[in-house]
Amino acid sequence: MKTGDFELLLSHHFFKNTNHTTMDNEGSFKKLVSHAKEYGYIFPSSEIYDGLSAVYDYGQYGVELKNNIKKYWWDSMVLLHENIVGLDSAIFMHPETWKASGHVTQFNDPLIDNKDSKKRYRADSLIEDYLQKIEGKIEKEIIKAAKRFGNDFDEEKFRKTNPRVQANLKKREEINSRFIKAMENEDLAEIRQIIIDCDIADPVSGSRRWTEVRKFNLMFETKLGSVSEDADLIYLRPETAQGIFVNYLNVQKSGRMRIPFGIAQVGKVFRNEIVARQFLFRMREFEQMEMQFFVKPGDEIKWFEYWKEARMKWHLALGINSDHYRFHEHDNLAHYANVAFDIEFKFPIGFKEVEGIHSRTDFDLSQHQKFSGKKLQYFDPLSKESYTPYVVETSIGLDRMFLAVLSYAYTEEKVPDANGNLEERVVLRIPAPIAPIKAAILPLVRKDGLDEKARTIINDIKFDFNCQYDEKDSIGRRYRRQDAIGTPFCITVDHQTMEDDTVTIRYRDSMKQDRVSTTSLREIIGKKVELQNLLKEICGSSG
Ligand code: GAP
């Protein structure tokens, strides 16, 4: 499985097919990937051996950003809700868990190989890409007409009357309903037939010679025990949720929790993805942040709506423009859900799922009762009745969220240099509360005591903020380096500092500089970088 995953990623067809792009094109996404590597955010796993496909390591800044996103999520769940508590369950679970949850039989992707290129694809993704292409054609017609008609343009009427749009809508509808039915019935022959009927070609080679469609289970298997013949087959968990379900009564009883209540968990999961060439978007080892909210049967839709809104607020509180988010309702529901929405983010590869909100009914708890023979019912002390709770789940990929933040933050712009000439700078406009380094302390020169003074400042504020000391290169180059890392504040110590104990503070986004007293640094920086700011924003109590 040795591949230069970065190269694979960059040469993959995916970018050419997309209609919506944040960073505009393949070239920009390429730049993000290499920036992430050059500045210590993301490295390919075991790179000296040419990397391991769809597995990545977080570098010195990547790990800080990841931890900050994790903490933001965790605090928004556990601190802001007195009826949500945390859990850290093991990656290995009893193998029966995955039979009960349906993963052994149903956690499959339909895969298809191209006979000429020998490339392997997810058959459902090929059809989804095709449907997206049709949508792209419709959008193009609309944009063209809107330009032509100006203010008089009536989009609804145009959709209903334009023959080309009508034909594409009809085609899309027909293929989509065939596709949904085939997926629901796991009709692999029909999925292949759709690919043939739509004349879908291999995006790499253009060939239309396809194999049969086969089912491929995404769970990684391993053996428990040291002697493999006697060993039991177990799985690396493909979601954290099951660890929450099997512990639900332990938490409820030991924490004397009353319904409705939630259990939050962050942890590693593993999926043997068929096509995994989209950088952090589709990995084989990744982290999920999941919360299961246990409710009374019948109340699930009310809570589903609550969590749908609450989760969108969490995203928007980061200050990311709302046009980068949208909801998408599932047509093709997972085996456990009765209603499901995705929160989609405008990644450089188009609008894609970053988070799922699912109403999972009592499917999981009922299945675990059946398979374990143990009662998992809740006794309601008020109504004196026992029931199996329903569950509303929020599930977000930590790595995908990381990619969302990084791609949104990455900006190339022309700015004036010291002589007033325009030069290019790359800046990561990461929201200050989750930025890896909050402040860089920079002595103007490495003499006259400026370096020692800079160290004194760091020693004073390092307990509050993640700081970095940098004395190498010209001050302009150091600013650029901190911009590229995404550090919101640069503090420069100069000769005046030695006289009046003031420093310049430079703001990453505006590049404005102020002269301030060293004693006010903690307050100035603190105001902007506290995670509390985001949490208050969610609660609507900021400022
Ligand atoms: N417990 C529900 C569940 O696991 P999911 O939609 O399969 O639902 C939830 O996964 C989230 O996990 C997704 O919204 C996505 O952010 C993330 N995710 C899923 N597969 C991933 C992969 N291969 N690489 C990175 N993130 C992934």
Side-chain angles (χ1 to χ4, degrees):
M1 202 140 14
K2 268 207 227 168
T3 64
D5 210 27
F6 271 47
E7 280 67 41
L8 250 180
L9 159 81
L10 301 179
S11 63
H12 194 247
H13 70 284
F14 204 82
F15 311 100
K16 289 169 194 143
N17 284 346
T18 186
N19 302 312
H20 322 266
T21 51
T22 328
M23 300 178 63
D24 293 317
N25 54 38
E26 186 178 333
S28 307
F29 196 59
K30 230 184 210 180
K31 283 187 194 164
L32 179 72
V33 175
S34 54
H35 187 89
K37 183 167 172 228
E38 188 181 346
Y39 287 93
Y41 273 86
I42 301 291
F43 307 130
S45 158
S46 32
E47 193 188 9
I48 57 167
Y49 296 103
D50 295 338
L52 183 67
S53 179
V55 186
Y56 294 94
D57 296 339
Y58 285 78
Q60 64 274 31
Y61 302 120
V63 65
E64 298 288 348
L65 174 58
K66 192 180 184 193
N67 284 342
N68 292 344
I69 296 173
K70 209 185 290 188
K71 184 156 171 46
Y72 173 41
W73 182 87
W74 185 266
D75 287 357
S76 75
M77 289 292 174
V78 176
L79 295 191
L80 298 191
H81 298 89
E82 58 185 78
N83 58 352
I84 297 183
V85 291
L87 179 77
D88 184 13
S89 68
I91 286 172
F92 292 142
M93 298 182 72
H94 194 287
E96 284 296 297
T97 309
W98 306 108
K99 287 187 191 154
S101 68
H103 283 81
V104 171
T105 51
Q106 295 186 57
F107 195 53
N108 299 307
D109 277 345
L111 76 84
I112 191 165
D113 293 278
N114 186 276
K115 290 181 183 165
D116 294 313
S117 71
K118 311 281 181 239
K119 294 251 178 239
R120 177 162 291 176
Y121 297 95
R122 270 178 61 172
D124 55 335
S125 298
L126 287 176
I127 298 172
E128 276 165 5
D129 285 355
Y130 180 79
L131 289 170
Q132 227 183 10
K133 259 193 202 164
I134 301 180
E135 245 163 46
K137 281 186 189 163
I138 297 170
E139 288 303 313
K140 252 193 193 157
E141 291 285 352
I142 290 170
I143 291 169
K144 244 174 39 194
K147 261 193 197 154
R148 205 168 51 230
F149 294 112
N151 287 343
D152 297 334
F153 183 59
D154 178 346
E155 182 178 329
E156 210 181 311
K157 195 168 156 207
F158 182 78
R159 276 179 182 273
K160 281 191 188 140
T161 52
N162 181 278
R164 275 190 303 273
V165 170
Q166 277 292 302
N168 273 325
L169 280 171
K170 188 161 168 260
K171 190 166 153 192
R172 194 199 168 282
E173 188 47 45
E174 275 169 14
I175 297 164
N176 197 34
S177 54
R178 265 179 83 186
F179 174 51
I180 291 171
K181 208 161 137 206
M183 289 294 283
E184 275 170 4
N185 298 336
E186 293 192 30
D187 186 345
L188 303 181
E190 169 68 352
I191 292 173
R192 180 174 189 273
Q193 197 55 47
I194 297 173
I195 292 177
I196 304 295
D197 293 348
C198 293
D199 207 24
I200 297 176
D202 178 340
V204 173
S205 67
S207 155
R208 289 175 172 77
R209 291 190 342 115
W210 296 106
T211 61
E212 297 305 306
V213 176
R214 279 170 296 144
K215 275 206 294 193
F216 179 79
N217 193 286
L218 301 187
M219 283 197 294
F220 281 101
E221 295 173 356
T222 188
K223 299 268 164 96
L224 192 72
S226 53
V227 185
S228 63
E229 292 94 296
D230 304 327
D232 275 330
L233 183 71
I234 56 165
Y235 302 98
L236 300 188
R237 66 179 176 194
E239 63 171 11
T240 66
Q242 298 305 324
I244 296 180
F245 289 125
V246 300
N247 276 297
Y248 126 86
L249 260 195
N250 284 337
V251 173
Q252 189 269 320
K253 291 201 161 135
S254 59
R256 300 190 303 135
M257 309 298 288
R258 285 211 182 164
I259 276 183
F261 74 91
I263 304 177
Q265 167 157 242
V266 181
K268 284 264 179 169
V269 299
F270 304 84
R271 295 183 187 181
N272 200 359
E273 298 282 359
I274 303 169
V275 182
R277 293 168 195 152
Q278 298 145 8
F279 195 36
L280 304 185
F281 185 81
R282 200 172 299 287
M283 300 159 84
R284 294 204 164 101
E285 172 182 340
F286 58 100
E287 270 183 89
Q288 286 184 324
M289 308 190 283
E290 298 200 295
M291 195 278 300
Q292 313 297 131
F293 201 68
F294 298 88
V295 305
K296 197 173 170 188
D299 283 354
E300 73 274 14
I301 298 302
K302 179 181 90 187
W303 283 110
F304 180 82
E305 289 303 327
Y306 170 86
W307 281 109
K308 214 177 120 198
E309 193 189 325
R311 292 304 304 146
M312 188 57 104
K313 267 192 191 162
W314 182 90
H315 286 274
L316 295 178
L318 280 169
I320 293 177
N321 200 318
S322 60
D323 71 359
H324 275 64
Y325 282 105
R326 71 181 186 194
F327 282 115
H328 167 78
E329 185 172 7
H330 282 213
D331 297 325
N332 192 4
L333 288 172
H335 59 272
Y336 48 74
N338 69 356
V339 45
F341 270 75
D342 290 339
I343 294 180
E344 292 189 338
F345 180 79
K346 201 175 179 188
F347 287 100
I349 50 176
F351 264 109
K352 298 271 167 198
E353 170 187 348
V354 64
E355 170 157 9
I357 299 140
H358 313 123
S359 170
R360 289 179 79 127
T361 66
D362 60 354
F363 174 83
D364 303 85
L365 290 182
S366 298
Q367 286 290 99
H368 286 306
Q369 291 189 88
K370 201 162 112 193
F371 277 71
S372 68
K374 307 269 166 27
K375 269 204 157 178
L376 295 176
Q377 291 216 317
Y378 171 77
F379 176 73
D380 187 331
L382 295 178
S383 67
K384 311 271 184 247
E385 47 171 349
S386 290
Y387 57 81
T388 307
Y390 270 39
V391 172
V392 175
E393 163 186 76
T394 73
S395 174
I396 173 169
L398 175 53
D399 314 79
R400 252 187 221 182
M401 188 60 207
F402 181 102
L403 180 61
V405 169
L406 201 67
S407 62
Y408 189 78
Y410 183 92
T411 316
E412 290 174 359
E413 57 189 21
K414 292 252 188 292
V415 295
D417 66 10
N419 304 317
N421 301 319
L422 284 184
E423 66 167 4
E424 180 131 309
R425 80 158 176 163
V426 174
V427 53
L428 291 184
R429 294 177 187 272
I430 299 173
I434 56 169
I437 305 291
K438 307 300 189 209
I441 320 294
L442 318 170
L444 191 61
V445 288
R446 211 182 331 166
K447 57 181 186 186
D448 305 332
L450 301 191
D451 42 350
E452 279 129 49
K453 179 66 184 171
R455 293 263 184 226
T456 314
I457 295 174
I458 289 208
N459 285 336
D460 186 35
I461 59 173
K462 72 179 178 195
F463 301 99
D464 301 282
F465 316 115
N466 196 349
C467 298
Q468 189 170 80
Y469 175 84
D470 190 3
E471 60 178 19
K472 204 165 162 266
D473 297 325
S474 73
I475 194 73
R477 287 184 74 164
R478 279 181 271 168
Y479 284 157
R480 288 288 168 275
R481 202 153 50 225
Q482 294 301 330
D483 289 343
I485 292 167
T487 309
F489 300 101
C490 284
I491 315 294
T492 306
V493 177
D494 55 20
H495 288 97
Q496 194 182 327
T497 311
M498 308 308 278
E499 288 162 22
D500 61 7
D501 209 28
T502 62
V503 285
T504 58
I505 181 163
R506 173 188 178 272
Y507 306 97
R508 176 194 68 198
D509 297 344
S510 64
M511 298 195 304
K512 221 180 104 216
Q513 298 190 20
D514 287 334
R515 186 112 213 147
V516 301
S517 155
T518 56
T519 52
S520 61
L521 283 175
R522 184 175 285 110
E523 199 196 331
I524 295 172
I525 300 171
K527 254 193 198 158
K528 296 279 178 210
V529 306
E530 301 282 345
L531 206 52
Q532 278 187 25
N533 296 343
L534 298 182
L535 299 175
K536 285 182 180 162
E537 181 77 32
I538 296 178
C539 299
S541 57
S542 60

